[in-house]
Every structure is written in C-alpha cells, then in structure tokens.
Amino acid sequence: MGTQSGTNPGKLIGGLVLACLLAASRAQTAVVPLLSPVGLAFDAAGGVYVAESGRHVVDRFDPVTGAFTVVAGNGTQGFAGDGGPATAAELDSPQGLALDAAGNLYIADAHNHRVRMVAATTKVISTVASGFRLPMAVALDGVGDLFVADAADHRVQRVVLASGVISTVAGNGTEGSGGDGGAATEAALDSPGGLALDPGGNLYIADTHNHRVRMVAAGTGLISTLASGLGLPKGISVDTTGDMYVADRQGHTVFKLAGGSLTMLAGTGGEGFAGDGGPAVAALLDGPQAAGVSPAGLVTLADTRNQRVRQVDRSGVIRTLAGVGLESGTVVFTGASVVQYGTGSLTATCHGATGSVVLYDVSGGTPVALGTTALVDGVASFSTAGLAAGGHRLLAAYGGDAGHAAGESGVVSLTVTPAPLIAAAGTIAMVYGAAVPGVTGTLTGVLGQDVGKVSAVFATDATSLSPVGIYPVTARLTGAAAANYAVTATGNVTIGQAGSDTTLGSSALTVTSGTPVTFSAKATSKTQGVPTGRVSFLDGGVTVGALALDGSGAASMPLTLGPGTHAVTAVYGGDANFLGSASAALSEEVVTSVIAAQPDFALNATNGTQTIVGGTSATFGFGVTVTNGSLSGPILLAATGLPNGASASFHPAVIPPGGAVTSFTMTIQTVKPAAISPMQAATFALGVLLFLGLRRRNRVVGVLFGLGLLAGCGDRVTNVGSGGSGKGPVSYPITVTGTSTASSGAVLEHTAVVTLTVQ
C-alpha cells in the first residue's frame, strides 16, 4: 500500500485509513462503520434509514442516541428470506428507499431485480414487485402507488400495490435521450437512478446517463427537462415547498433546484473528504448518491465513497451525521495492499491520540473484530499473519479519549495470497496393464501455526490401461488451513511396455502333401489389455507370411508346405504398449501318399445311327461301364438335341448304384409332318393362272392372293426338320448325358452321342 500522509484520510488508497478525531461536537455511543451508503429515507420520528449497498443491509440511525439498528438484511449477499424476519433475509446491493404513512419500508433490492417491503408492525419482509432490471430508486405518491426507476430497462414503472399491476409511466425502453414535449411513455431515458414526487403528483426523474433531471407533469403525462449539464445525477428529493435536491455522483456535489434555478448546496466539485463544521459549499464530497430532506427540513446526503451520512443545517454548515465523527488530523499510513499468507502487517499512526484501535473485517457485510491494539505514541500496528487467504475489506474503529472523539476509518482492500507448499511424490514406475500403486509423498512449507491443520492427498490421472508414457502426480490439500496454501506437486508415474506371450496352433499336425494347414497365433498380455499390431509366421526361421492381429489379439493363416518335417513359429512384433514375443516351435509333418482312384462310369451307344419317317419312333441302345468300384449314387439320364415336337424316354429311367444294370434304351417319338390339302392345291393353281393372265403390275397381287389362301387352309403342323420347310430328310445329333456322385462328393458326368435322321 506504500506510505501516504495528509489531512484527507477519506481519499487515501491502499492504506488503512484510520480517522484520528481531534474534537467532537457530540458523543457517539458506538462506532459502527458504513459501507457504501446509497439510499436514504426518514420516518416521522426523524430516524434515518440508510441502504448500505456494500454490506447488503438497511439500517436505522437514531440521530439523538447515535444508535444503529439493522432493519433488513443479514449481511449476506443473495436472495432469501421472504415471509420471515427482515433481519434474517438476504439482500443484494440495496439502493433506493421509501417509507409510506404507515411506516412500511420499501427497498429497491437492485441486484435481485425486485422491490421488497418490510412491514411496519410485523417486521416481516416480502416481495411486492419483481421483473425489473436493476431497480435503483423508489417513490410513493399520495394514493400509495409505488414508482420504480427501472434503470437497465430505461423506464419508470408504476406499481399499483393493491392489485400488483405494473405499468410504464416514462421511457419507451430504448436507451437514449429525446422526447421532451411529448408523452413520457414515448420518450427515451438512459439509466434513470433517482425519483421524487411533489404534493401535486408531478414525477421527477434523475435521468442519470443523460445528465439531466426531467419531470412528468401530473394530468398530462408530458415530459420535459428541468435541469441539464449535470454529471451523473442520482438520488433526488422534493421538500414541502416544492424545492428539489439532487445528488450529483460524478460532480461530487448536491444541488438545489428552486424556481427553475440550479444552485450549489454542498460540495466544491472536488473529490475527497473535508469541510465538516464549515460551509457545505466549501466541503469535499466523494460520489454522493442520495439527497433527502429530514422532517425538520434539513438536507441530508449519502456521501457514498466517504462511507458516511452528512447533513447541512439551516445555516449552511455541513457535519457528519453517521459513519464517522469530525475531521481528522494528520495521519500517516504504511502497509502493503497484497501480502502472502502468514506475513505482513498494517500500521496506523494517529498523532497525539491515546487509547486503542479495533480492526474489523467487513468483507461479509457484518463487521468481524480481528483484534484490538493500543496506540503507542499515536501508532497502532496489526499483524496480518492470521488473515486467511483471499480478499479482505478492512476498517479500523477508534474508541476516543479525553481529547479525541470516537471514529472510524474508511474501508480498504487487502489481498492475502496463499502461501506456497511443495508436495513431493518422487517417481513411480509401473507397466501397462498393472495396478497403479498408491501415490504418497511429503509436504513441506507448512507454517508452524498450521501444523496438523493441513495435509496433502496425492493422485495421478494414470490408470491401469493408460497408454505408455509419463503422467504427473497431483496433490490436493485438505484440512482446516488448506485454503491458505497453494500447492505445487512434483513427481510422476512412468508407465512402460508390458510383456506379452505368443502361442501357435495348427489345424492338423500331420497332413499329406498338397493339403493346406491353417496356423492360428494369439498374443496375450502378461498383465491386462489386448495386444495389437502384427504377427509373422516362420518356417524354419524363414518368414512365410504376416497378418494383423484382430480385436482379440489373434490371427490365422493357411499355408501349404512341402513334404517333410517343418518347425513353424509365430513371432509377435509388439506395439506401443506391449513388448514383442515368440511362440514355441510347432512341429508340422507333411507326408507323401498315393490317392486311391475313385469309382467312375462311362456311356457308349450300341446303335449310333437310325433313319425314320416323321411321326414314327426310333430306339437306341446304350451300354454302361462302371470302373474302380461301385458308384455311391444312381446315374440320372437326360437327352438334348431332339427334333421339334419329339420326346425321349429311357428304360430303365435311371441306372441304380451297385453295377447290376449295365445297359439301357432310349426311344425317340417324332411328330407327323404337315400336308397340303386339295383345296390348298387348287387355290394355289388358281393363283398361278391369275399371275400369268394379269398385267404385270397386278401379278404381285395375284401371287399374294394365292399364297394367302394356301396358308389359310389345311393342317397347321409343319415339317419336323429344324427349318420347318418339309423338303427332304433332316439329321439330328442327340446327346445323352448321365450324371452321378462319387463317394468323395464330386459330381460325375459323362455323355454319348447318337444320330437320328427324319424323312
């Protein structure tokens, strides 16, 4: 955080800003820090309600007693608790506040995108409207309707609380500017952040990113600009006379708008903290986000980044109402903004003060006291060695002494980084497929304050079937102090190739020459898994083939070996995860033998040629000769090449096995050729006479006439010859086929040919 000094502790960045109060105009009963006060509201008794967006709570401050009471929120950022006590509920960055006549409190729960209400009588919290996007401000009119500045939707919405109906009263939902003089619902707004209503029902809007204040007139609904050229106007309020007060966050000022004129009420425009007890127009503010008017008519502002609520009295003098006391004297700060766990310190120097300082951690919303240190010569030092790793928001509270009022510092951020640890596991060796051994190691670097509160659990991503390679060891810290350390693991698990076994089998260890043998090889793991790659088959050391292994690690290859004894081996070449291996030699015997002759038969015709007249039959005789034993099946007979319309029959129809029948006959029955009837002959003759007697050009007609008559009469059966001309004898070679089966299953087929001539 470096070293800084000066009289402006509210602006010191990166140091512990400890307010050293030199004088007090009033006594505070307790020092309670504020975290980013952004919303204000007043009850009838003068109590100030403050929305602390940084702590996610809403407080009530009693200006008479100085007491703070949390009225909503448990300090945890989130959303929960509807239907239960408001102080047990979770809020998320509350912004604008409003109170109705009955004392019910309305909260713009901004990052929960809803408006919630704390009932005055029961103190129970509930959601009264939702569906907004970043509601930043709320206001109530004379009939109890709720108005909501829906910042991210660039609209102002009206909620009829009796029915829950929501409607738009300003803004068309488009981020922009424009529309003055027209209907407010047609105008463009840009992130409205403040609302107020006057007794006449006119609605005032802090059109934040348009840098202006606009008004929606009651009755007409027309929108107009009242003031422009502001920085980032946020919270606004209207007093009973109709005067308006505007908190300008970017301008670090509060303005008064009266009679159309804009005048400075508080702040010089400079960013910082100064001026309490003096004219408000000479004071320094830092990002004010709310301006309200107390029941007594005093302008009160949320000086957000100064972490306080300030008030301007009737004479124009500004004082801190809540958060801190009066101006501090000279303060010197030292310390780093980032420290490693177990180290570091923060020092606050408050010249001339005595007493003690309490250091608070306000990271979770509710302050947690970390320790109390007495001022020695105006200096208080705090060790940060006990702060857990992570981000911390720290605040110091000074209890005061006889000459100094109690007060508190601003909030600073401190990052505590984890302390380094080394988890050493060494090198662990294993082979593919083996069980992964347990990983252990040593842990070094644990601070003495955490002995027994942190340990390391070692692990690796390697598994039994992880591919061969090197896998790093990881370490995870456990124990109550584990989150305060960052561990670096060393060591690895090295996986090497596993061994393999190769076996070889044969479909037959003894075969005759010329018979193929199927050799089956299989490679298996000595651990787990299935080898991949290729296996080679060797005959007497000479490679005779190679194949890729299948999914089970097996491969089969048929080989035909020459006569003799063969020493056959299978050699697996290995892969990325397995070492290679070879099978034992397999003795394969190939012998030479004479293959016995198989039974067979032959057909021969005993009368190979015959001549017959069409319509008659012819009979041919055949002999059957069986050799090398008996046939295992009958001989089936068939004939091909017969004349048109002819049929063939055999006697016997088949030759049975056994050799008892040695001959058979085949009879061919032909059909009678077609003849020309007398009528056809006479018609043909008439056609010839007409041919001769007609003129040349009509002869063709006569011939066609005669032929047509000739063709249309008589028997339709033509000559049995293949040409069907009926002119002279025709010879037909007829093939007789015999088919049988040998004892080996082979098909035996033989033929005999005879010639038939038909006249």
Side-chain angles (χ1 to χ4, degrees):
M1 287 186 286
T3 300
Q4 303 184 47
S5 65
T7 60
N8 185 12
K11 287 304 296 172
L12 290 172
I13 300 174
L16 177 63
V17 184
L18 179 61
C20 182
L21 307 177
L22 302 177
S25 60
R26 63 175 173 79
Q28 290 181 303
T29 59
V31 177
V32 179
L34 295 177
L35 290 180
S36 298
V38 294
L40 297 175
F42 292 89
D43 61 20
V48 185
Y49 290 79
V50 183
E52 292 188 70
S53 66
R55 189 176 294 157
H56 313 289
V57 297
V58 177
D59 307 301
R60 182 185 184 276
F61 171 65
D62 188 328
V64 177
T65 66
F68 268 92
T69 304
V70 175
V71 295
N74 61 8
T76 299
Q77 182 179 13
F79 173 71
D82 270 3
T87 53
E90 293 179 1
L91 306 178
D92 193 346
S93 309
Q95 297 287 320
L97 303 175
L99 282 157
D100 64 16
N104 298 308
L105 174 66
Y106 296 85
I107 305 168
D109 196 356
H111 285 220
N112 281 324
H113 312 291
R114 65 190 62 215
V115 176
R116 302 170 83 177
M117 183 193 76
V118 179
T121 55
T122 65
K123 311 304 180 186
V124 169
I125 193 168
S126 62
T127 295
V128 295
S130 60
F132 308 110
R133 291 199 304 149
L134 289 180
M136 299 299 291
V138 289
L140 292 160
D141 66 8
V143 298
D145 288 344
L146 181 71
F147 292 77
V148 182
D150 192 357
D153 282 325
H154 312 291
R155 300 176 187 266
V156 175
Q157 313 275 21
R158 181 203 304 266
V159 182
V160 178
L161 294 174
S163 63
V165 173
I166 300 175
S167 60
T168 299
V169 296
N172 59 14
T174 301
E175 180 181 9
S177 63
D180 276 357
T185 54
E186 299 299 323
L189 305 179
D190 192 348
S191 310
L195 295 176
L197 286 147
D198 65 17
N202 297 305
L203 173 66
Y204 300 93
I205 305 169
D207 196 356
T208 304
H209 286 274
N210 279 325
H211 315 290
R212 65 186 66 194
V213 175
R214 303 172 82 174
M215 181 188 79
V216 179
T220 67
L222 301 180
I223 193 168
S224 60
T225 294
L226 297 182
S228 60
L230 302 174
L232 289 176
K234 292 286 288 184
I236 58 177
S237 62
V238 178
D239 65 15
T240 56
T241 66
D243 292 341
M244 183 185 303
Y245 303 90
V246 183
D248 187 348
R249 187 183 73 186
Q250 189 178 56
H252 311 293
T253 53
V254 174
F255 291 98
K256 178 179 180 180
L257 181 61
S261 297
L262 196 66
T263 58
M264 190 84 73
L265 179 73
T268 65
E271 180 181 8
F273 172 72
D276 265 7
V281 292
L284 290 180
L285 311 180
D286 194 350
Q289 293 200 54
V293 181
S294 74
L298 302 180
V299 177
T300 308
L301 58 108
D303 195 358
T304 304
R305 288 201 292 268
N306 279 326
Q307 317 297 336
R308 64 190 71 199
V309 175
R310 302 171 82 176
Q311 194 171 72
V312 180
D313 66 17
R314 298 186 188 282
S315 63
V317 173
I318 191 170
R319 291 184 175 84
T320 294
L321 187 66
V324 294
L326 304 175
E327 287 186 81
S328 63
T330 301
V331 182
V332 179
F333 307 94
T334 58
S337 60
V338 179
V339 298
Q340 181 178 296
Y341 173 70
T343 67
S345 64
L346 297 174
T347 300
T349 302
C350 192
H351 296 293
T354 61
S356 60
V357 176
V358 181
L359 182 65
Y360 289 96
D361 190 334
V362 295
S363 304
T366 301
V368 177
L370 300 178
T372 301
T373 301
L375 287 166
V376 178
D377 295 330
V379 177
S381 295
F382 298 90
S383 172
T384 57
L387 291 178
H392 297 270
R393 292 168 56 81
L394 302 176
L395 179 147
Y398 171 56
D401 60 15
H404 301 84
E408 62 198 34
S409 74
V411 176
V412 297
S413 296
L414 175 67
T415 299
V416 179
T417 61
L421 295 181
I422 301 296
T427 299
I428 301 167
M430 58 175 286
V431 297
Y432 178 82
V436 179
V439 183
T440 59
T442 58
L443 186 64
T444 58
V446 177
L447 299 178
Q449 66 197 42
D450 293 326
V451 172
K453 298 179 181 179
V454 61
S455 59
V457 177
F458 294 86
T460 177
D461 290 337
T463 66
S464 294
L465 297 180
S466 293
V468 166
I470 298 175
Y471 296 82
V473 168
T474 60
R476 176 176 56 85
L477 298 179
T478 62
N484 296 320
Y485 294 92
V487 66
T488 300
T490 64
N492 53 65
V493 175
T494 301
I495 301 178
Q497 289 174 297
S500 67
D501 291 313
T502 302
T503 58
L504 179 65
S506 168
S507 59
L509 293 176
T510 301
V511 296
T512 57
S513 178
T515 302
V517 181
T518 299
F519 292 95
S520 299
K522 186 163 188 176
T524 57
S525 169
K526 287 184 177 293
T527 54
Q528 296 184 70
V530 179
T532 62
R534 297 177 67 82
V535 64
S536 299
F537 297 88
L538 284 72
D539 181 5
V542 177
T543 301
V544 292
L547 287 174
L549 297 174
D550 63 17
S552 66
S556 296
M557 173 171 281
L559 295 173
T560 301
L561 306 176
T565 300
H566 300 263
V568 181
T569 56
V571 178
Y572 167 55
D575 63 11
N577 297 320
F578 289 97
L579 298 169
S581 58
S583 71
L586 186 68
S587 180
E588 185 71 28
E589 188 74 19
V590 180
V591 298
T592 303
S593 62
V594 178
I595 300 176
Q598 298 293 315
D600 204 349
F601 71 93
L603 302 180
N604 61 292
T606 56
N607 54 334
T609 303
Q610 290 195 53
T611 300
I612 63 173
V613 176
T616 63
S617 63
T619 299
F620 294 89
F622 298 87
V624 180
T625 304
V626 178
T627 59
N628 301 324
S630 299
L631 297 173
S632 60
I635 300 174
L636 306 179
L637 302 171
T640 58
L642 300 176
N644 289 344
S647 62
S649 60
F650 296 94
H651 182 76
V654 297
I655 308 302
V661 177
T662 59
S663 63
F664 65 92
T665 61
M666 176 182 68
T667 300
I668 305 294
Q669 178 64 53
T670 63
V671 296
K672 183 178 181 181
I676 300 175
S677 68
M679 182 62 181
Q680 287 176 310
T683 304
F684 182 77
L686 178 58
V688 172
L689 291 176
L690 289 172
F691 173 83
L692 295 176
L694 294 173
R695 301 175 79 179
R696 181 174 182 178
R697 64 182 179 181
N698 293 324
R699 287 177 183 174
V700 174
V701 177
V703 172
L704 293 175
F705 174 76
L707 291 175
L709 293 177
L710 183 61
C713 304
D715 192 350
R716 295 301 179 96
V717 179
T718 59
N719 190 298
V720 295
S722 61
S725 65
K727 298 179 181 180
V730 179
S731 295
Y732 298 90
I734 299 172
T735 301
V736 176
T737 302
T739 305
S740 187
T741 304
S743 59
S744 65
V747 176
L748 305 175
E749 184 176 281
H750 297 285
T751 61
V753 180
V754 297
T755 301
L756 175 65
T757 300
V758 180
Q759 294 182 336

